[in-house]
């Protein structure tokens, strides 16, 4: 290995690495991506549980037979399908708000986009809660119930966290006029989280409800 | 946090950031209140939900305890202040992104509350985890006490299960995993030239999450001991009580803590390296931590998931592992080991990083196979995710998984071997310094290799079926954990102790610690291989009588490690309080953490350093890793790198002798050296010694030689001993007069120094006449004194000494004698003899005072003498000295002869001796 001569100029004074190495992604966004990797693995552990239970099920009947009624458990595919549409559309409303901010620096549209997204997210939660109420089986009913509730419940928790993040973004934007087209790390990170929650739901819906 | 904050004070960050810090009591009172609120809230919320949902019974202790621990833990963290900033943020308050109100420590109290300084957090982590180490160690001794004899000794089977479960859990989750985060927290930002971690507040949160986790683990036995081993397999774990709940929740807190730290490391490493630090110039510790962080981020959620399932199965009646209701117990093992096999590398890779640093530094050689080590680290991490089922060979899992898992398992030995051989290659032909960190690193090589070899036996299906769940596993675990991880932890702790505390530890005690630990661990764990192959099962409180002797032996041998650990803690605590002050770079390391003070300043680097080469170019002349700059208030410029090998020069009268200086010049040309003069002086007045030193240093620095020096008021042996303790001396040059005229040689000094130091001693003999001769150098003023009568006046000597204090100088004394007629008559001889006597007196006086001096008699006039001064001596200044009343007339001739030289007339006081005659006749 050889040593190199470097010119040590005035540019070294004052600035830290953050300013010297231009980056395309802020530290916060990068951290959020990694964190989502971790979150994905958390879901993966519960999916593992789900599939191992499913592959071991007696007589290959899935959803399994409810030993009390002697009938198969039923999942409300249609209602949940509609609910899925709510959640998916919330990703688009959020995207619209961000897009307006980036293109025109229009913070009002961002706030509107956030509000609609939060509203859609809440709707999803309420419908999901209602579903729990009427399902007719609980987490204690068979390993099926345990895996079903743990997956959907874990996801529900993530929706709540996502909504909190979006609310914070809304508050910051309203009260402190934060976020510009160039600087909005907290917003980008929160929206990444929200999209992730959406994607996980779509996968969950396909695997648990449809498949 | 953005990294452009100036580093010197909190105050220059603009208004609003300098908040008066709150007293410690305030935070802890808040924490206490918030914990209590958490408990109350947990009870209320749980009751409400159960009531609203119509659960029966309303009271279910397991559920309430679960919620209490979760809420109390979170409450504590909020109360202690980890979320204050975020709370302001989410309420839409104005917050300073550059808020440093929680940064840095000025007293021990600052360590007991959230702090955002990575250096403080590093120490918080290390101290907390070593406390956990002691607690875990006590449990281990409990296990050994029980096993000392067959049959029930002290505790029943159930309690025994609790002992080993607590031992392993505390050691793994409370010590080995987090202590690596602690050490890396301290040194990693320094190593990459960053001012802190990427997210200092998240970093603080990580630590306090760990505090909660450790507290839950430590207090768990009070709530019903947790007995299912650290692996917590169902259905055994499902029979646990509240203690098990605490274990499962502690895992969640500890997991969140490590994930947060890992994210922080990753972002810090990727985005905050100093300019010039390409990935191939990163120290290997940084490589190791980047890889470990990836393992943590992607692996840890699996243990979190497995413990959540286990917890809900037990307290809420879910059916994940209940086969009667469609659950699958084996699923637990799959999910658990999918994390926990990578976790063994989470506990080993950072240690590999530490060892790479230590071995390269103490072998004084560039690391062998830098890229091979880096790549093998990554390879281990990737392969590590594909071997988990080697823990389940006999569990009854689908049998087709066995062969592929066996192959991947054995494959991991390849990158591991690459590392071992690279370290051996680094040491091969190196100049090995057996300091304590190096001893631990070398011990690690031995013991970890043994552990890796038993790993191959275990990875091989056929042998594993025989040895699974026997003491062979215990032997393997301890050779890799104790012989692997813990040895590297000790190596790292000793290695960075001077940097972290600013003090040196005691080397002798360090060596005692090493040998007690190394011998103790081998005597303790090696016989376990035999016990295992003979069929002694692990995790059982009793055993067959034929194993009695070996077990007794093991229990006794384990006390050696206890002794070693006591020595270790004594050394650490005592040295931290009273140890010698540590220099910046006691080991002559190359990486950036050694280029800043010990401990580093608040924000590590005043200005961003510039990396210019690889980190391990030991022994390559002129090679450097990085350039570190001083802040403007220190005048800017590069901070000196103390990487050159140090030569200690011990001299008294000969300090500034031309012969010695020539010797040093020659040596300097041969390599990358720096020189430190020490002048032992036992006389009251050090001024003479100081003048000589000043002259010598001026000459050396003019030649571009890196030299410094001090006069020390002590006999030579003591002086050398003192310096050797503070600095890493490579060689000693001992300068004396020849035998017969040297008091030092009479005392046999050279041999004694050789024996006492054990390093190379070069003896340079200098004649007294050479010792005091003048040196030719631009930076030393050449002052010619021209005088005849009055030349031996004390006043003249005093006057010249005063000049010498202002500036390094050599003196040339010229005594002009203008004799008429034939030059060698008896009269002229007499006159000449008298004059040279007078001149010699002055020369002796000046030399005595530490001024390099020579002199001669000039046959001729004052003008002739001035000519000689200019042409032969290149004088800068000429002093014409006369007695009071006499005067030399400055003629045209004289000024012409003087040319550019400074001409001064001085008057002596006319006294040839001081009243006491002190300086006469010595
Ligand atoms: C060449 C590398 C290694 C190989 C091939 C290997 C292989 C194995 C195998 C096959 C087992 C399962 C034995 C059984 O339960 O029947 C095992 C157990 C274990 N290994 Fe390793 N190992 C290696 C390195 C390590 C390292 C570096 C660590 C930690 C620093 C480690 C920690 C453990 C632990 C803790 C267990 C026991 C887990 C338990 O059942 O409690 N191993 N090893
Ligand atoms: Cu393993």
């Amino acid at each position: 290995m050889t040593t190199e001569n470097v010119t040590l100029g005035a540019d070294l004074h004052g600035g830290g690495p953050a300013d010297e190495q231009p980056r395309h992604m802020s530290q916060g966004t990068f951290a959020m991506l990694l964190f989502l990797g971790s979150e994905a693995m958390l879901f993966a552990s519960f999916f593992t549980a789900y599939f191992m239970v499913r592959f071991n099920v007696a007589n290959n009947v899935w959803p399994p037979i409810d030993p009390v009624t002697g009938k198969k458990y039923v999942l409300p595919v249609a209602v949940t399908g509609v609910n899925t549409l709510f959640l998916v559309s919330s990703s688009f409303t959020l995207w619209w708000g961000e897009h307006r901010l980036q293109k025109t620096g229009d913070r009002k549209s961002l706030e509107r986009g956030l509000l609609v997204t939060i509203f859609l997210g809440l709707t999803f939660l309420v419908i999901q809660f209602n579903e729990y109420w009427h399902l007719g089986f609980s987490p204690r009913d068979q390993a099926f119930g345990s895996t079903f509730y743990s997956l959907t419940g874990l996801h529900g928790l993530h929706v709540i966290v996502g909504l909190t993040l979006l609310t914070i973004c809304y508050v910051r934007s309203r009260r402190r006029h934060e976020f510009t087209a160039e600087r909005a790390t907290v917003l980008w990170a929160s929206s990444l989280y929200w999209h992730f929650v959406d994607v996980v739901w779509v996968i969950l819906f396909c695997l648990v409800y449809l498949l | 946090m953005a990294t452009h904050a100036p580093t010197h004070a909190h105050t220059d960050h603009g208004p609003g950031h300098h908040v008066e810090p709150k007293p410690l009591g305030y935070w802890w009172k808040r924490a206490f209140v918030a914990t209590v609120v958490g408990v109350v809230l947990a009870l209320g919320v749980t009751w409400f939900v159960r009531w609203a949902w119509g659960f029966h019974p309303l009271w279910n202790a397991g559920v309430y305890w679960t919620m209490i621990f979760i809420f109390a833990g979170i409450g504590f963290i909020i109360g202690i202040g980890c979320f204050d900033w975020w709370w302001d943020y989410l309420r839409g308050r104005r917050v300073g992104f550059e808020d440093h109100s929680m940064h840095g420590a000025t007293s021990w109290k600052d360590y007991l509350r959230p702090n955002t300084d990575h250096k403080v957090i590093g120490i918080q982590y290390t101290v907390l985890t070593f406390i956990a180490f002691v607690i875990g160690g006590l449990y281990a001794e409990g296990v050994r006490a029980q096993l000392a004899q067959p049959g029930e000794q002290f505790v029943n089977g159930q309690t025994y299960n609790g002992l080993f479960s607590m031992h392993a859990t505390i050691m793994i989750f409370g010590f080995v995993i987090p202590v690596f985060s602690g050490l890396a927290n301290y040194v990693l930002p320094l190593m990459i030239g960053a001012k802190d971690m990427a997210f200092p507040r998240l970093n603080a949160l990580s630590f306090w999450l760990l505090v909660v986790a450790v507290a839950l683990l430590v207090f768990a036995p009070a709530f019903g001991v947790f007995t299912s081993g650290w692996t917590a397999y169902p259905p055994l774990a499902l029979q646990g009580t509240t203690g098990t709940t605490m274990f499962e929740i502690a895992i969640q807190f500890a997991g969140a803590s490590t994930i947060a730290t890992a994210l922080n490391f990753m972002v810090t490493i990727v985005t905050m390296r100093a300019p010039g630090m390409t990935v191939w110039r990163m120290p290997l510790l940084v490589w190791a931590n980047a890889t470990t962080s990836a393992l943590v981020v992607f692996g840890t959620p699996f243990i979190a998931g497995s413990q959540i399932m286990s917890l809900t199965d037990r307290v809420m009646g879910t059916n994940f592992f209940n086969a009667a209701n469609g659950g699958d117990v084996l699923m637990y093992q799959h999910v658990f080991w999918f994390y926990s096999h990578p976790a063994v590398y989470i506990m080993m890779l950072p240690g590999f990083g530490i060892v790479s640093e230590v071995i390269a530094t103490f072998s004084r050689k560039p690391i062998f196979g830098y890229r091979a080590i880096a790549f093998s680290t990554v390879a281990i991490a990737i392969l590590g995710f594909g071997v988990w089922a080697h823990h389940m060979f006999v569990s009854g899992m689908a049998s087709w998984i066995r062969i592929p898992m066996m192959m991947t398992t054995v494959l991991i030995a390849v990158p591991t071997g690459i590392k071992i051989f690279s370290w051996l290659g680094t040491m091969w032909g190196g100049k090995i310094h057996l300091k304590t960190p190096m001893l631990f690193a070398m011990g690690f090589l031995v013991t970890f290799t043994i552990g890796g070899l038993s790993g191959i036996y275990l990875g091989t299906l056929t042998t594993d079926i025989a040895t699974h769940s026997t003491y062979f596993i215990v032997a393997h675990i301890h050779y890799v954990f104790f012989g692997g991880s813990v040895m590297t932890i000790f190596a790292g702790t000793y290695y960075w102790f001077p940097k972290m505390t600013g003090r040196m530890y005691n080397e002798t005690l360090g060596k005692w610690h090493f040998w007690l630990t190394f011998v103790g661990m081998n005597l303790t764990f090696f016989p376990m291989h035999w016990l295992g192959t003979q069929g002694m099962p692990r995790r059982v409180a009793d055993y067959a009588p034929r194993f009695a002797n070996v077990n007794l032996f093991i229990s006794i041998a384990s006390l050696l490690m206890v002794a070693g650990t006591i020595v270790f803690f004594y050394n650490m605590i005592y040295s931290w309080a009273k140890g010698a002050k540590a220099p910046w770079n006691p080991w002559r390391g190359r990486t950036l953490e050694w280029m800043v003070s010990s401990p580093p300043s608040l924000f590590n680097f005043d200005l961003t350093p510039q990396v210019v080469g690889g980190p391990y170019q030991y022994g390559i002349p002129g090679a450097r890793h990085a350039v570190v700059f001083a802040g403007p208030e220190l005048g800017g410029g590069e901070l000196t790198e103390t990487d050159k090998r140090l030569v200690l020069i011990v001299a008294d009268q000969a300090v500034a002798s031309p012969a010695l200086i020539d010797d040093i010049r020659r040596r300097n040309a041969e390599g990358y050296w720096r020189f430190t003069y020490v002048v032992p002086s036992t006389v009251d007045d050090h001024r003479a010694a100081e003048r000589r030193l000043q002259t010598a240093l001026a000459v050396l620095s003019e030649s571009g030689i890196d030299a410094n020096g001090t006069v020390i008021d002590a006999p030579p042996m003591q002086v050398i001993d003192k310096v050797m303790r503070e600095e890493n001396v490579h060689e000693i040059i001992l300068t004396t007069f020849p035998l017969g005229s040297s008091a030092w040689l009479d005392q046999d000094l050279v041999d004694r120094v050789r024996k006492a130091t054990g390093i190379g001693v070069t003896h340079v003999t200098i004649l007294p006449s050479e010792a005091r001769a003048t040196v030719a150098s631009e930076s030393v003023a050449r002052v010619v004194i021209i005088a005849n009568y009055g030349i031996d006046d004390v006043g003249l000597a005093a006057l010249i000494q005063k000049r010498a204090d202002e500036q390094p100088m050599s003196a040339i004394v010229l005594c002009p004698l203008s004799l008429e007629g034939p030059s060698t008559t008896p009269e002229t001889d007499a006159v000449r003899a008298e004059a040279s006597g007078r001149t010699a007196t002055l020369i002796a006086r000046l030399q005595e005072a530490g001024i390099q001096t020579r002199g001669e008699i000039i046959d001729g006039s004052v003008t002739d003498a001035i000519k000689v001064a200019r042409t032969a001596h290149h004088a800068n200044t000429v002093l014409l000295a006369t007695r009071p009343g006499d005067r030399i007339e400055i003629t045209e001739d004289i000024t012409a002869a003087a040319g550019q030289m400074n001409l001064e007339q001085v008057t002596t006081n006319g006294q040839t001796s001081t009243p006491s005659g002190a300086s006469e006749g010595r």
Side-chain angles (χ1 to χ4, degrees), chain B residues 879-896:
Chain B
L879 300 182
L880 298 175
T882 48
R883 286 217 150 135
D886 293 353
R887 244 193 113 68
I888 295 171
E889 211 176 314
I890 309 288
T891 59
E892 291 273 310
D893 277 0
I894 289 184
T895 27

Side-chain angles (χ1 to χ4, degrees), chain B residues 263-340:
Chain B
L263 289 175
N264 220 336
F265 278 142
M266 284 282 245
V267 177
T268 309
I269 294 168
V270 171
T271 64
M272 289 173 68
R273 277 168 294 138
M277 182 167 283
T278 61
V279 288
W280 299 119
R281 282 176 180 169
M282 293 193 317
L284 286 166
L285 183 92
V286 179
W287 268 99
N289 273 288
T291 319
T292 309
S293 300
L295 285 176
V296 169
V297 168
F298 296 109
T300 311
F302 265 68
I303 193 175
S306 68
Q307 298 314 314
I308 292 173
M309 293 182 226
S310 191
L311 178 65
T312 56
D313 262 19
R314 193 160 44 76
V315 304
M316 283 172 58
T318 55
N319 290 304
F320 289 104
F321 309 126
N322 183 352
N325 287 328
D328 182 0
V329 254
L330 268 189
M331 183 262 288
Y332 176 89
Q333 298 187 24
H334 280 295
V335 175
F336 177 83
W337 286 113
F338 189 77
Y339 160 77
S340 290

Side-chain angles (χ1 to χ4, degrees), chain B residues 846-870:
Chain B
L846 292 182
Q847 289 182 339
E848 204 67 43
I851 302 170
Q852 304 296 116
T853 312
R854 54 183 287 195
E856 56 188 300
I857 310 284
I858 306 285
D859 274 328
S861 66
V862 172
T863 319
D864 295 330
I866 291 175
K867 279 189 191 134
V868 172
R870 196 185 60 193

Side-chain angles (χ1 to χ4, degrees), chain A:
Chain A
M1 276 181 266
T2 55
T3 49
E4 288 156 28
N5 281 326
V6 282
T7 27
L8 307 166
D11 59 320
L12 279 170
H13 291 251
D19 309 323
E20 279 156 29
Q21 301 170 339
R23 284 194 309 271
H24 300 294
M25 194 191 285
S26 71
Q27 290 176 323
T29 318
F30 180 41
M32 180 53 90
L33 277 178
L34 287 172
F35 179 63
L36 293 181
S38 201
E39 291 275 42
M41 292 306 279
L42 184 59
F43 278 102
S45 71
F46 281 92
F47 273 117
T48 310
Y50 173 79
F51 278 108
M52 293 194 74
V53 166
R54 186 166 173 169
F55 289 142
N56 284 334
V57 73
N59 312 323
N60 268 331
V61 193
W62 193 263
I65 312 281
D66 181 345
V68 181
T69 62
K71 286 199 224 107
K72 278 172 77 169
Y73 292 107
V74 262
L75 294 176
V77 178
V79 181
T80 316
V82 174
N83 207 9
T84 306
L85 290 183
F86 280 123
L87 200 58
V88 171
S89 57
S90 79
S91 257
F92 287 97
T93 54
L94 180 59
W95 173 83
W96 176 81
E98 285 181 303
H99 179 77
R100 294 286 297 170
L101 177 75
Q102 258 183 327
K103 281 278 140 23
T104 61
D106 175 3
R107 207 177 286 116
K108 269 260 103 41
S109 299
L110 171 71
E111 283 161 21
R112 266 185 225 126
L114 281 171
L115 274 186
V116 178
T117 311
I118 292 169
F119 174 74
L120 287 170
L122 281 175
T123 313
F124 173 86
L125 271 187
V126 171
I127 295 179
Q128 195 64 16
F129 192 74
N130 181 56
E131 181 182 316
Y132 277 5
W133 197 262
H134 291 104
L135 264 179
F137 63 91
S138 80
R140 311 165 75 147
D141 288 313
Q142 298 288 313
F144 165 74
S146 308
T147 51
F148 172 82
Y149 274 97
S150 61
L151 274 172
T152 50
L154 188 67
H155 180 265
L157 277 181
H158 279 75
V159 175
I160 293 172
V161 173
L163 286 176
T164 314
L165 291 177
L166 294 180
T167 312
I168 293 173
C169 289
Y170 178 75
V171 171
R172 296 304 293 182
S173 177
R174 270 306 283 269
R175 300 208 30 195
R176 298 237 68 87
H177 312 299
E178 252 158 38
F179 308 136
T180 61
E182 296 82 32
R183 265 186 78 97
T185 300
V186 175
L187 178 67
W188 306 146
S190 307
S191 94
L192 270 177
Y193 190 90
W194 189 254
H195 295 313
F196 169 80
V197 170
D198 265 12
V199 172
V200 167
W201 179 256
V202 173
I203 296 172
L204 195 158
F205 181 68
C206 293
L207 293 180
V208 176
Y209 286 79
L210 298 182
L211 196 71

Side-chain angles (χ1 to χ4, degrees), chain B residues 772-818:
Chain B
R772 292 149 183 192
T774 55
V775 277
S777 165
E778 284 301 320
S779 52
V780 178
R782 284 167 308 278
V783 177
V784 169
I785 299 106
I786 297 177
N788 191 344
Y789 297 106
I791 197 168
D792 52 349
D793 282 357
V794 259
L796 183 55
L799 206 132
I800 298 166
Q801 284 171 22
K802 216 147 107 232
R803 253 167 203 276
D805 287 339
E806 284 156 17
Q807 175 195 17
M809 62 170 263
S810 2
I812 300 113
V813 182
L814 301 180
C815 179
L817 283 183
S818 344

